[in-house]
Amino acid sequence: MSILNKMFALKQFCRNKGYSTVLKRCLTLNVDTAFDNKVYRLHQIETGPSITSELEKAEALKLFKQMDMVRRTENALAGLYREKKIRGFCHLVVGQEAVCVGINSIMRPQDTIITSYRCHGWAVLRCESISGVIAELLGFQSGAARGKGGSMHIYGPQFFGGNGIVGAHVPLGVGIGLKHKYTNDGAVSVVLYGDGAANQGQVFEAFNIAKLLMLPVLFIVENNYYGLGTASHRSSANPEYYRTCSFLPGIRCSGMDILTVRESTRYGFKHILDGKGPIIVEMMTYRYFGHSMSDPGTSYRDRDEISSVRERKDAIQHMKNMLVESKLATPEEIKAIETENKKLVTAETEKAFKDKETPVEELTADCYKSFPFPMRVPKMHTWIPHKNIGKYGSVSK
Amino acid sequence: MASRGTITMKNMTTLGKVLSRRNFSTSKALGAKQLTVRDALNSAIDEEMERDERVFVMGEEVAQYDGAYKVTRGLWKKYGDKRVIDTPITEMGFTGIATGAAMAGLRPICEFMTFNFAMQAIDQIINSAAKTFYMSAGRVNVPIVFRGPNGAAAGVAAQHSQCYGAWYAHCPGLKVISPYTSEDHKGLLKAAIRDPDPVVFLENELLYGVAYPMSDEALGTDYLLPIGKAKVERPGKHVTIVAHSKAVETSLEAAKTLAGKGIEAEVINLRSLRPLDFETIIKSVVKTNHLISVEQGWPSCGIGAEILARLMESEVFYHLDQPAVRITGADIPMPYTKSLEAAALPRPEDVVEAVKKILKVK
Ligand SMILES: Cc1ncc(C[n+]2csc(CCOP(=O)(O)OP(=O)(O)O)c2C)c(N)n1
Ligand SMILES: [Mg+2]
């Protein structure tokens, strides 16, 4: 039986059974036309992740809710940026929601995550509150980083942040993996990076050491086809990032189907926890906005490309379709979740706005944990004593 | 990123008008043509590429995207793939490649999307570009220009807002330029491209969209400014204010306020951080007997620290009526939020206050 037939048969099986408490699905959706009829592309491994996936109703609705929440928060931030309430960079993750939500759903409490500046999705999932994320971008004192970090530098429990330097966080993630192995805490370090970042030399240095030391690191390439205005085939001699390393196995999957994201992540975790060493998973996804809010994002790709992905591959719409088709949720239930999220984002935004910009007294705070001397500021002969204000050590367990 | 260029441009049109109006009244070139710093850089590169086949541009988004901040706009269309090369986001690699090409006789202009990312490549800039001429006892020169925006932009936080003036000025073998006006940018970039040594050319994103007057001479294709020569941007007799890049603007604004109070400040635009034109500073201090340095970079081992140390070491020290003073950026990584960002950088009022203090006026 060809793979296509097999999948069709499985699909029929799922349909005929008319599941209503469990979403069981054959995985087919891909953004990459080069996939043909395959769900996964594999490098140096025989059997890939499962081609079927199951979700219980409660979990399915939770994941839908999270994806919808990430998108709504991003859209709210886009609005605030347009109103000039948010300054500087604002890299939105709209279009790529299935990646962070899917990976997050497989991670256990002990596992850690580090990602690039495109980090709002993780911030929504990991930070103490959504109002804290919004407040951070507003530059307010109640922000997750007290207004000091902004869009690119947000941290939360077991979430080591966004990083503004393309590629730099990849070795950092391997270092976090070193800690997991060193203390034998059983955790996996998940390291996300973009297709543009994938070319940085230090990424390959990190691969090498991760493999030599057999560190528990799951490398995930969030391939959205562009690094700023450069399409991946113009930036990479080999734009198939799951097979850029001769000694690390790899998987390529759709990043627009939360089920393939989950199955690939699950496979990666198992591979690592079985002691087989680090592995690369490449998730094919797409960003709808420009690189950052002020990039129209249309000079290097045409509008048709963006709208066709939106119409045909959208991760959230796909999830909704799956929920309804499998009779796991009614359109009304979905609508109710959306309404609830909408209210929540409005409430969290209002809550964020109750606060104000971080006061000047915090200027020199938290530059060190301890420092013996006051710190110099622009005013002539003026030094401000050093102090700590933030929640010391509240990221690492 | 690139996108930020667009916003900046928008914000800058109004600021540009204000600034150019001011410059208009103080500039000798009355009625001169206005040119933005961005266009001044663009024409410098264009003219030098036209003049010398060996000159080429390499960097992230420099070709098809027209430059992240549109400095290289139109050059790829004009010169094609061979001479305007888009690179992947791999600074260490392409900086080394550009440096190697320079060693072999080409004249690369290596663009960093911002100098923050040149930190990925700083080993090639210093260990390969800066030191090779000396290590080879003059046998291998490295005629390369490393350029891009430096220093604090607006609202982009710690990893994207840092002045590398002092970092590079520290290194023998490099020439380091930190220009202010459009004439500075054009004349010095052209000189840098023609220079036989490696030059670090530090621009400022917030100045790209600002228009300054250009003399007829400066509009010509042979306009060169000498590397290592400062410019007295505004003459005065009571106090010398030395600054580079955006801090020159801060100093000029302060000087204007001070003029209203009868204090004539002499503002020196350093233009070049290495070689550093100490002669011009000496001449000024001998006249004013007071010195304040202004910079956006950090205080420790900064440009101001260097100038003050040289004053201490020289006879001009005896011409000082008061200890010289540094006004610098705050000694912390740059915060994101506007309230803290503003407090982390020298403002005209900080300079005014310092001048009044050392001149002991109220
Ligand atoms: C070392 C470094 N070089 C350049 C930049 C500027 N820059 C920021 S994001 C970006 C594109 C990165 O693309 P990719 O890794 O694909 O991530 P995506 O934006 O698609 O999420 C560039 C060039 C930077 N921040 N750091
Ligand atoms: Mg990308």
Side-chain angles (χ1 to χ4, degrees):
Chain A
M1 205 168 14
S2 79
I3 285 194
L4 199 67
N5 287 339
K6 201 153 107 198
M7 288 194 311
F8 184 74
L10 270 161
K11 207 173 205 168
Q12 287 304 107
F13 167 80
C14 302
R15 288 238 173 91
N16 297 342
K17 281 278 180 176
Y19 281 99
S20 57
T21 53
V22 177
L23 169 61
K24 185 164 181 171
R25 213 186 122 90
C26 319
L27 307 173
T28 51
L29 184 114
N30 279 302
V31 277
D32 188 352
T33 46
F35 267 97
D36 310 320
N37 54 2
K38 295 191 194 70
V39 179
Y40 304 106
R41 293 258 192 117
L42 306 178
H43 172 63
Q44 292 188 358
I45 37 175
E46 293 298 313
T47 52
S50 167
I51 60 156
T52 60
S53 190
E54 279 188 27
L55 267 182
E56 302 222 328
K57 177 167 181 169
E59 170 118 56
L61 292 183
K62 182 177 156 200
L63 297 183
F64 169 69
K65 185 171 176 162
Q66 286 179 334
M67 286 201 283
D68 183 69
M69 192 59 168
V70 170
R71 182 165 298 182
R72 278 175 203 280
T73 308
E74 289 289 62
N75 284 331
L77 294 173
L80 294 173
Y81 182 92
R82 290 191 196 100
E83 289 170 32
K84 303 209 177 332
K85 300 262 165 47
I86 291 171
R87 331 173 56 220
F89 296 123
C90 186
H91 308 95
L92 301 182
V93 78
V94 176
Q96 306 181 199
E97 296 88 349
V99 174
C100 54
V101 173
I103 297 166
N104 189 59
S105 69
I106 301 295
M107 290 171 67
R108 305 154 303 162
Q110 67 267 39
D111 300 320
T112 52
I113 174 83
I114 188 164
T115 185
S116 74
Y117 48 84
R118 200 175 297 285
C119 65
H120 302 168
W122 289 98
V124 167
L125 296 168
R126 292 274 164 159
C127 285
E128 289 78 359
S129 72
I130 291 174
S131 66
V133 178
I134 298 169
E136 185 55 36
L137 276 94
L138 294 171
F140 289 176
Q141 195 173 17
S142 54
R146 305 187 78 83
K148 284 178 167 172
S151 163
M152 302 185 285
H153 311 294
I154 306 177
Y155 308 81
Q158 301 290 82
F159 166 39
F160 288 85
N163 191 307
I165 305 302
V166 170
H169 61 282
V170 178
L172 297 179
V174 173
I176 295 165
L178 176 65
K179 181 259 180 177
H180 295 325
K181 182 164 183 196
Y182 199 97
T183 59
N184 205 10
D185 63 9
V188 169
S189 167
V190 181
V191 184
L192 265 98
Y193 56 100
D195 47 289
N199 301 302
Q200 281 283 31
Q202 57 185 316
V203 171
F204 295 86
E205 298 179 29
F207 287 166
N208 189 36
I209 296 177
K211 179 73 181 193
L212 283 172
L213 302 183
M214 290 297 271
L215 300 177
V217 180
L218 177 56
F219 295 101
I220 299 183
V221 193
E222 213 167 339
N223 184 346
N224 58 11
Y225 292 84
Y226 297 89
L228 217 170
T230 305
S232 58
H233 65 88
R234 292 209 303 122
S235 75
S236 309
N238 173 7
E240 297 186 344
Y241 302 100
Y242 71 106
R243 54 174 200 91
T244 46
C245 185
S246 62
F247 49 80
L248 289 187
I251 300 164
R252 186 186 251 198
C253 71
S254 170
M256 302 303 260
D257 180 353
I258 194 159
L259 299 183
T260 53
V261 168
R262 278 167 56 84
E263 292 311 323
S264 302
T265 308
R266 204 193 308 278
Y267 184 95
F269 267 71
K270 186 168 181 326
H271 181 92
I272 293 161
L273 296 171
D274 283 350
K276 294 183 192 158
I279 180 168
I280 301 173
V281 178
E282 179 182 9
M283 299 180 177
M284 309 304 291
T285 181
Y286 202 83
R287 71 168 150 75
Y288 298 162
F289 278 85
H291 169 70
S292 174
M293 264 308 282
S294 41
D295 167 30
T298 46
S299 68
Y300 47 87
R301 51 181 195 178
D302 51 50
R303 284 172 204 280
D304 289 349
E305 179 183 302
I306 308 170
S307 54
S308 94
V309 177
R310 243 184 205 280
E311 279 158 28
R312 295 175 30 234
K313 312 280 188 182
D314 185 73
I316 296 180
Q317 189 55 48
H318 174 57
M319 181 69 168
K320 279 198 223 178
N321 295 347
M322 289 197 293
L323 288 171
V324 176
E325 273 173 29
S326 63
K327 302 201 179 86
L328 209 57
T330 61
E332 291 70 36
E333 282 175 289
I334 290 171
K335 191 83 209 136
I337 291 173
E338 290 171 334
T339 312
E340 196 188 330
N341 273 351
K342 199 169 159 190
K343 277 196 199 136
L344 195 61
V345 172
T346 309
E348 292 290 303
T349 309
E350 277 166 14
K351 192 171 159 216
F353 268 106
K354 291 219 171 79
D355 195 21
K356 54 182 182 348
E357 272 191 340
T358 313
V360 165
E361 293 72 57
E362 297 205 8
L363 184 66
T364 58
D366 292 322
C367 187
Y368 296 91
K369 178 67 186 89
S370 76
F371 195 70
F373 304 116
M375 314 184 88
R376 191 171 176 140
V377 296
K379 208 168 140 66
M380 175 177 159
H381 292 170
T382 307
W383 287 262
I384 304 184
H386 177 260
K387 58 183 165 186
N388 290 119
I389 299 178
K391 280 180 240 149
Y392 175 61
S394 55
V395 166
S396 182
K397 261 197 195 153
Chain B
M1 168 84 20
S3 34
R4 297 213 62 265
T6 338
I7 336 163
T8 311
M9 259 154 56
K10 239 186 276 155
N11 295 345
M12 285 297 130
T13 17
T14 36
L15 181 55
K17 270 180 208 140
V18 177
L19 284 171
S20 44
R21 219 179 294 132
R22 188 200 59 216
N23 284 357
F24 207 71
S25 59
T26 58
S27 169
K28 273 167 265 151
L30 208 69
K33 197 185 163 206
Q34 302 279 317
L35 196 69
T36 62
V37 164
R38 177 182 287 107
D39 291 342
L41 289 166
N42 184 275
S43 51
I45 300 172
D46 190 6
E47 288 167 18
E48 293 306 301
M49 287 183 76
E50 193 88 68
R51 180 180 169 271
D52 185 346
E53 250 321 294
R54 297 170 301 171
V55 177
F56 70 97
V57 184
M58 188 170 195
E60 292 159 27
E61 308 287 357
V62 296
Q64 298 192 18
Y65 198 77
D66 270 340
Y69 296 99
K70 308 301 170 204
V71 168
T72 53
R73 178 176 273 151
L75 297 179
W76 176 65
K77 285 216 177 73
K78 182 164 173 191
Y79 296 101
D81 286 333
K82 180 181 167 190
R83 298 183 68 195
V84 185
I85 305 171
D86 270 335
T87 66
I89 311 165
T90 53
E91 289 82 5
M92 181 66 134
F94 74 71
T95 306
I97 290 166
T99 304
M103 283 177 175
L106 297 182
R107 299 259 163 171
I109 300 170
C110 176
E111 174 173 313
F112 293 112
M113 193 174 283
T114 80
F115 261 94
N116 304 288
F117 316 140
M119 278 224 272
Q120 293 287 322
I122 203 164
D123 177 74
Q124 293 290 12
I125 300 174
I126 292 162
N127 270 327
S128 304
K131 298 179 185 173
T132 296
F133 195 61
Y134 187 81
M135 294 190 296
S136 69
R139 295 172 63 138
V140 183
N141 72 316
V142 189
I144 187 170
V145 177
F146 301 107
R147 54 155 291 274
N150 169 60
V156 293
Q159 292 182 331
H160 285 71
S161 319
Q162 186 170 336
C163 176
Y164 292 92
W167 290 56
Y168 292 111
H170 186 65
C171 304
L174 290 178
K175 291 174 180 166
V176 184
I177 295 171
S178 182
Y180 167 53
T181 63
S182 299
E183 287 191 352
D184 287 2
H185 282 82
K186 181 167 177 198
L188 288 163
L189 183 56
K190 283 167 70 77
I193 295 168
R194 295 188 196 184
D195 200 278
D197 292 314
V199 180
V200 171
F201 195 90
L202 304 169
E203 299 154 15
N204 186 301
E205 188 205 320
L206 300 178
L207 293 178
Y208 281 155
V210 186
Y212 295 94
M214 291 285 278
S215 64
D216 287 344
E217 193 202 351
L219 290 167
T221 55
D222 286 319
Y223 181 64
L224 297 174
L225 285 171
I227 296 173
K229 199 84 196 76
K231 181 186 176 204
V232 177
E233 207 66 52
R234 174 187 180 120
K237 55 180 187 236
H238 298 123
V239 60
T240 301
I241 305 177
V242 187
H244 67 97
S245 185
K246 189 108 166 63
V248 177
E249 180 184 296
T250 314
S251 305
L252 286 171
E253 275 168 36
K256 202 172 152 205
T257 311
L258 289 163
K261 299 181 164 62
I263 299 169
E264 290 303 327
E266 178 145 307
V267 177
I268 298 179
N269 165 10
L270 279 175
R271 283 183 167 169
S272 162
L273 305 178
R274 181 189 262 270
L276 185 75
D277 181 6
F278 199 55
E279 280 301 304
T280 299
I281 299 173
I282 290 177
K283 250 204 235 150
S284 179
V285 173
V286 166
K287 182 169 66 172
T288 66
N289 311 113
H290 294 88
L291 179 128
I292 290 182
S293 70
V294 186
E295 69 193 302
Q296 294 201 333
W298 291 315
S300 294
C301 313
I303 300 299
E306 175 64 22
I307 291 168
L308 268 63
R310 289 199 197 187
L311 266 189
M312 282 290 291
E313 291 176 326
S314 84
E315 292 293 316
V316 213
F317 173 73
Y318 299 107
H319 288 270
L320 284 176
D321 286 349
Q322 286 294 323
V325 167
R326 287 178 288 166
I327 299 295
T328 69
D331 203 6
I332 48 161
M334 184 63 72
Y336 160 72
T337 190
K338 202 171 185 173
S339 53
L340 300 190
E341 188 188 69
L345 292 168
R347 285 174 278 208
E349 49 270 37
D350 298 320
V351 181
V352 169
E353 191 195 285
V355 168
K356 289 208 256 171
K357 262 193 194 155
I358 66 166
L359 293 179
K360 299 196 169 20
V361 296
K362 288 237 166 111

